[in-house]
Amino acid sequence: MKITLVYPTFGMEKNPVQPFGVLYVAAALKKANFEVSIIDTSLFSGFDVFEQALLREKPDVIGFTIPTWLLNNSYKAIKITRRVMPHIPILVGGPHPTIQAEEMLESFGADIACIGEAEITAVELCEALKNKTGLQQVTGIVYRDGDRFVRTLPREKVKDLDTIAWPA
């Protein structure tokens, strides 16, 4: 299963920095033997370049890290993803989905929101998607089930940070 992660800055940062949250999640997924790619939008000149990168990557699952200041870019990128790849699961995580998960699913058209730290959650979630075992046992997510939102039990905080893989 191929997972593509996106930090949708689209050149908004004057001094781009590495998105460590994305890199930690990528490392955790790689450690769990998933194929992972990252679309770095920091140098993109527009959303058409993102669409081309998305079509080139051909992910089975796509995940967006969304801080509040990137809501507009995230919305556009998710809409493009849904248009060109209507059947792949769209995951969202990061600060904004953590506090507004249902909004992200309803307004943005995402399928699943990761709440809080996602290194462990992303692995369990992708395993559930890969094995088609259902989402109810994955802690720390919100997803849509028909017309209602399902919020699973909260994920426990990682007690030993040394157990988390170094950023990819």
Side-chain angles (χ1 to χ4, degrees):
M1 174 181 268
K2 183 174 183 180
I3 300 138
T4 295
L5 302 175
V6 181
Y7 187 66
T9 58
F10 291 93
M12 287 184 64
E13 293 181 295
K14 300 255 186 272
N15 299 306
V17 295
Q18 294 297 317
F20 280 105
V22 171
L23 299 175
Y24 273 105
V25 171
L29 290 165
K30 283 182 179 182
K31 185 176 178 182
N33 296 315
F34 286 100
E35 181 181 351
V36 181
S37 65
I38 297 172
I39 296 179
D40 180 2
T41 66
S42 63
L43 300 176
F44 284 10
S45 57
F47 289 93
D48 56 329
V49 180
F50 171 71
E51 184 174 334
Q52 292 166 14
L54 190 60
L55 291 169
R56 186 174 51 252
E57 291 297 325
K58 297 180 182 143
D60 299 304
V61 175
I62 189 163
F64 292 87
T65 296
I66 306 175
T68 302
W69 69 278
L70 291 175
L71 280 178
N72 289 337
N73 286 352
S74 302
Y75 179 81
K76 291 175 188 172
I78 289 170
K79 292 300 179 187
I80 289 168
T81 303
R82 184 63 73 206
R83 180 175 49 78
V84 300
M85 298 184 161
H87 303 296
I88 69 167
I90 297 175
L91 318 178
V92 293
H96 200 83
T98 293
I99 60 171
Q100 295 289 328
E102 290 82 359
E103 172 198 14
M104 300 304 298
L105 302 183
E106 183 73 32
S107 302
F108 281 48
D111 297 303
I112 305 162
C114 292
I115 308 302
E117 300 299 325
E119 291 83 359
I120 298 169
T121 303
V123 171
E124 288 182 9
L125 177 55
C126 289
E127 289 285 352
L129 292 170
K130 176 182 165 188
N131 298 324
K132 298 179 178 25
T133 56
L135 301 176
Q136 59 277 4
Q137 82 282 359
V138 180
T139 57
I141 63 170
V142 176
Y143 64 96
R144 187 188 301 269
D145 182 15
D147 290 341
R148 68 184 185 99
F149 297 110
V150 176
R151 184 177 284 261
T152 64
L153 294 172
R155 164 90 39 210
E156 283 190 35
K157 302 261 187 277
V158 176
K159 292 182 175 92
D160 182 1
L161 296 178
D162 291 331
T163 62
I164 296 174
W166 282 96

